[in-house]
Amino acid sequence: MKQHKILSISVLMAGGILLNTGCTKLDEEVYDQVLETSFRPSEKDIPAIIGPAYTIMRPMYAGWQGNFDLQEEPADVIVTPARPNGWYDGGTYQRMHNHEWNQVQWQPQNLWNNCYNGINTVNRILFQIESGSIPIANGKDALISELKALRAFYYSLLVDTHGNVPLVTDFSDATLPQQATRQQVYEFVEKELLENMNNLSVVADKSMYGRINKWVAKAILARLYLNAEVYTGTAQWQKCMEQCNDIINANIYILEPNYKNNFVTANENSKELILAVPYDEVFATQNSIHMKTLATAHRNVLNMAAQPWGGNCAVPQFIDTYDPDDSRMKDTWIMGPQYSVTTGEEILNYTRHVDGIALAGFFQGYRIGKYEIKVGARGGLSTDFPVFRYADILMMKAESLLRTGNAADAATLVTQVRQRAFATTNPAKAAVTADELTKGSVYNYGYWKDGAVTEVQGGSDIPFGRFYDELGWEFAAEAHRRQDMIRFGVFHRKTWFNHRPKNDGKMRTLFPIPEAELNKNPNLAQNPDYR
């Protein structure tokens, strides 16, 4: 277990600070509750108080049909075909791939539920602190700012996925909330982060691991500005660069010399991770990415304690975009023959080819191997999920430079990120030029049929397509791709694998408001593309 992980507060934890372990009096009265009025938290209790507001991120990111699935399944890097052992699941993955989801689709509803669980928990804790029922003697302002920044983070996810959502900030208000516009939600996130930024800790050690410090808040704000044109119609490239520059100039984070350091079991030691969601194979088991991707027979490769389910895999067209010397390909995907760790015999062979989303063979498609799957792996990994890496900051700045006409400086940053991917294979290939970044994508868009691309569209018409490719290679399987595809204008107009764009004029860049929420709250209206 990783001892730095945030824990949920409990009666036992609260009661523990009141016990005198050296007491021998046998007739004292024992209580099974701790009243708020008798709870006087010290600094060491702060993680326990705010823990419940953070732990919701665990199912939300790498958990079953969490944000990982929401951002990757509708995109062009990962696909979940039906398999001989199942994976049709009522057509849910095919709807995600074909952009035919509806207002009862679980993936978008799950993100909504998790975000509002987080928001409501933040609001409750803020109410308890501000009302005095949880008295904070020292650091009250910093704690309130951290909670407000965390709430802004949850809203930054909702502004991206659902757009027009209720802004709920008062735990004591029992009235049904009104629906805010996407513009209003964007402005709320920006305002909350800017107003609370300077109260946040600048510390980036284990005590703040998995929590919102000043640099995390700046990363959230930078990503908000990066997508501002999508969210509001007004680009904010300069503001994005300003937040990135602050993080860069702080000289706290680095690019790890080894790309895999960010995804190993003990990746909490990475100096590149700005914000990660902590997981543990015993106590916080929601990181199930390996279970969803590995074929069931892979259990015998690693002597796994749990049998994987064998679902999602790489889209062959994306695999074909890699330079053969780019080490990120083998660092991200499990491919080819797989051998038993004990006997050395070949157990299975993952092929690049995938028949189609309607049905694919057990071992078709390269599998996600980015997050270390150790020998004897259980149903949950201890690998923490990266939300922001220092590479994100460099690439957000690079994109902002590129889109404001400074391709030369953008190329310098992209080259910096690429260097470790070619360090041991072909260092000369690490360098990318300004001219290259302004060219189209090498992704061969079109319809996948019988192992070949038909209805060929290619990617040469994508503005800054080469930079778009760089984002794909660096951040594959990190819950980035949908957002990047939307920003580059690819999501609603290109064909890939068995997905064709719709011709009904609806872009579907927002998900629908869940039907359950519409039924509960008459103040909500469905997003335009689903009316």
Side-chain angles (χ1 to χ4, degrees):
M1 178 184 178
K2 299 176 182 178
Q3 296 299 324
H4 61 271
K5 293 186 187 296
I6 297 170
L7 302 177
S8 297
I9 190 168
S10 67
V11 171
L12 288 176
M13 182 177 291
I17 66 172
L18 305 178
L19 295 178
N20 180 354
T21 56
C23 179
T24 58
K25 185 178 179 182
L26 302 179
D27 59 347
E28 65 179 337
E29 189 171 1
V30 178
Y31 296 92
D32 63 356
Q33 298 183 50
V34 177
L35 299 177
E36 286 182 341
T37 54
S38 65
F39 181 40
R40 294 292 181 269
S42 64
E43 185 175 351
K44 67 181 177 61
D45 299 308
I46 298 302
I49 293 170
I50 65 175
Y54 279 101
T55 54
I56 291 160
M57 293 169 67
R58 287 170 174 160
M60 185 169 67
Y61 262 88
W64 179 253
Q65 297 190 353
N67 194 47
F68 178 88
D69 290 356
L70 190 67
Q71 298 294 342
E72 298 291 356
E73 293 284 356
D76 62 356
V77 172
I78 292 169
V79 65
T80 303
R83 304 277 184 182
N85 63 325
W87 285 98
Y88 176 70
D89 290 2
T92 182
Y93 309 107
Q94 298 188 20
R95 287 195 299 274
M96 291 296 283
H97 182 69
N98 292 322
H99 295 189
E100 294 173 346
W101 48 75
N102 52 42
Q103 56 197 42
V104 296
Q105 186 85 15
W106 178 241
Q107 293 92 332
Q109 182 173 335
N110 200 24
L111 183 100
W112 175 291
N113 292 345
N114 281 320
C115 281
Y116 277 107
N117 280 341
I119 290 163
N120 291 333
T121 303
V122 168
N123 289 340
R124 173 181 58 79
I125 299 170
L126 283 172
F127 174 79
Q128 290 174 311
I129 292 172
E130 291 172 336
S131 68
S133 62
I134 297 181
I136 305 295
N138 299 308
K140 178 179 177 179
D141 289 344
L143 184 58
I144 288 173
S145 288
E146 181 181 347
L147 287 164
K148 288 183 175 180
L150 176 58
R151 183 175 62 191
F153 170 71
Y154 289 129
Y155 273 115
S156 77
L157 298 178
L158 288 169
V159 76
D160 180 71
T161 57
H162 293 82
N164 308 292
V165 303
L167 285 172
V168 183
T169 60
D170 186 351
F171 184 73
S172 63
D173 186 356
T175 60
L176 290 173
Q178 298 293 321
Q179 188 170 22
T181 66
R182 197 180 201 186
Q183 174 81 37
Q184 289 170 328
V185 179
Y186 172 92
E187 291 171 353
F188 174 80
V189 174
E190 179 186 34
K191 177 175 177 289
E192 288 286 282
L193 291 171
L194 290 174
E195 287 183 352
N196 290 284
M197 189 84 68
N198 291 332
N199 281 337
L200 298 174
S201 173
V202 297
V203 172
D205 60 15
K206 294 293 177 66
S207 69
M208 288 299 295
Y209 186 84
R211 290 172 59 183
I212 308 287
N213 63 14
K214 183 175 183 177
W215 317 113
V216 172
K218 285 185 172 294
I220 299 168
L221 195 53
R223 188 173 285 176
L224 184 79
Y225 288 144
L226 182 74
N227 294 283
E229 191 169 17
V230 174
Y231 301 157
T232 71
T234 302
Q236 299 290 358
W237 307 117
Q238 188 61 43
K239 288 184 177 182
C240 179
M241 278 191 280
E242 289 169 2
Q243 298 304 318
C244 292
N245 284 336
D246 287 347
I247 298 171
I248 293 166
N249 294 335
N251 292 316
I252 294 173
Y253 305 99
I254 66 168
L255 285 175
E256 283 286 339
N258 186 336
Y259 184 70
K260 289 294 287 182
N261 288 353
N262 297 302
F263 313 104
V264 295
T265 299
N267 63 339
E268 69 270 17
N269 296 314
S270 168
K271 292 181 173 22
E272 185 169 333
L273 298 185
I274 298 173
L275 177 65
V277 180
Y279 292 95
D280 184 274
E281 64 182 300
V282 178
F283 298 101
T285 61
Q286 295 95 329
N287 187 344
S288 59
I289 292 173
H290 65 306
M291 298 294 288
K292 291 184 287 187
T293 191
L294 296 181
T296 55
H298 206 109
R299 180 178 189 176
N300 298 321
V301 174
L302 296 174
N303 287 339
M304 296 174 66
Q307 180 169 293
W309 312 319
N312 56 32
C313 63
V315 173
Q317 289 153 281
F318 178 72
I319 293 298
D320 292 343
T321 68
Y322 281 96
D323 185 298
D325 290 330
D326 189 336
S327 62
R328 289 172 296 191
M329 182 173 175
K330 67 178 178 59
D331 286 341
T332 302
W333 306 102
I334 301 172
M335 60 193 80
Q338 304 298 308
Y339 303 93
S340 168
V341 72
T342 55
T343 68
E345 66 174 316
E346 181 177 323
I347 302 296
L348 57 92
N349 188 343
Y350 291 121
T351 66
R352 163 190 161 278
H353 174 75
V354 185
D355 284 342
I357 196 166
L359 185 63
F362 280 119
F363 308 136
Q364 289 185 353
Y366 293 167
R367 305 307 165 98
I368 303 165
K370 192 167 204 172
Y371 306 95
E372 183 181 15
I373 308 164
K374 66 180 185 179
V375 175
R378 304 189 187 202
L381 295 180
S382 287
T383 309
D384 300 340
F385 190 90
V387 179
F388 293 105
R389 297 192 278 121
Y390 187 60
D392 283 90
I393 306 307
L394 297 179
M395 294 297 275
M396 285 195 284
K397 179 179 178 180
E399 184 175 339
S400 299
L401 288 166
L402 187 62
R403 292 184 183 272
T404 53
N406 190 347
D409 285 348
T412 298
L413 291 172
V414 175
T415 297
Q416 184 179 344
V417 173
R418 283 173 58 88
Q419 283 175 340
R420 60 187 173 187
F422 295 90
T424 61
T425 54
N426 193 336
K429 286 187 175 181
V432 63
T433 68
D435 182 60
E436 286 172 329
L437 288 184
T438 62
K439 293 180 178 178
S441 167
V442 300
Y443 199 116
N444 189 18
Y445 284 98
Y447 194 82
W448 181 261
K449 184 178 180 180
D450 298 329
V453 178
T454 64
E455 307 171 27
V456 176
Q457 298 173 347
S460 61
D461 60 335
I462 300 172
F464 309 117
R466 171 58 192 276
F467 183 85
Y468 168 75
D469 291 341
E470 295 288 348
L471 293 175
W473 299 325
E474 179 66 23
F475 301 112
E478 291 185 53
H480 277 232
R481 190 62 170 182
R482 169 190 160 274
Q483 192 178 89
D484 293 341
M485 293 184 75
I486 291 171
R487 199 169 62 254
F488 281 82
V490 179
F491 190 70
H492 66 285
R493 69 182 184 91
K494 285 289 189 181
T495 297
W496 62 88
F497 200 61
N498 293 161
H499 163 87
R500 290 188 179 96
K502 306 303 176 189
N503 296 316
D504 56 6
K506 297 179 178 181
M507 297 171 63
R508 295 175 178 81
T509 52
L510 282 175
F511 291 105
I513 306 299
E515 184 178 86
E517 302 305 317
L518 294 171
N519 291 339
K520 287 188 295 188
N521 186 353
N523 296 327
L524 302 183
Q526 185 55 269
N527 281 331
D529 283 351
Y530 306 96
R531 294 174 187 169

